[in-house]
Amino acid sequence: MITVIDYWATWCGPCKMMGPVIESLMEKYNVDGSEVEVSKVEVDTLKPAELAELGIKSIPTIIISKDGNEASRFVGVQNKETLIEAIDSLQ
């Protein structure tokens, strides 16, 4: 299973820019039978210790994992094609 998690906040301008990209990835990958799951986690719902454990110092941070192991990490605004390439390289 491949997971893509976007760590973001409502008050973060770059996170708002990434919103449509993440929504598009959700539409592409979050379908029945897909081995990819895309989700969002608002950092304000996490404790500082959780953020530290995840190594999140800036947002947006997008972590792509395969079978529970981190495979890629992107910090800041990314284009859709870069993320699709990273996801598809794991399939």
Side-chain angles (χ1 to χ4, degrees), residues 40-78:
K40 298 172 72 165
V41 173
E42 190 173 349
V43 295
D44 291 335
T45 65
L46 300 175
K47 296 176 181 161
E50 293 172 303
L51 292 171
E53 185 178 318
L54 291 165
I56 296 174
K57 298 176 183 171
S58 298
I59 53 173
T61 294
I62 300 162
I63 300 176
I64 302 173
S65 301
K66 181 167 185 174
D67 300 326
N69 299 308
E70 184 175 323
S72 300
R73 177 181 293 239
F74 298 91
V75 178
V77 176
Q78 305 296 316

Side-chain angles (χ1 to χ4, degrees), residues 16-32:
K16 290 178 185 178
M17 292 173 59
M18 283 301 302
V21 172
I22 298 301
E23 299 284 329
S24 177
L25 294 177
M26 288 175 160
E27 289 175 13
K28 176 177 175 62
Y29 292 107
N30 290 3
V31 296
D32 288 340

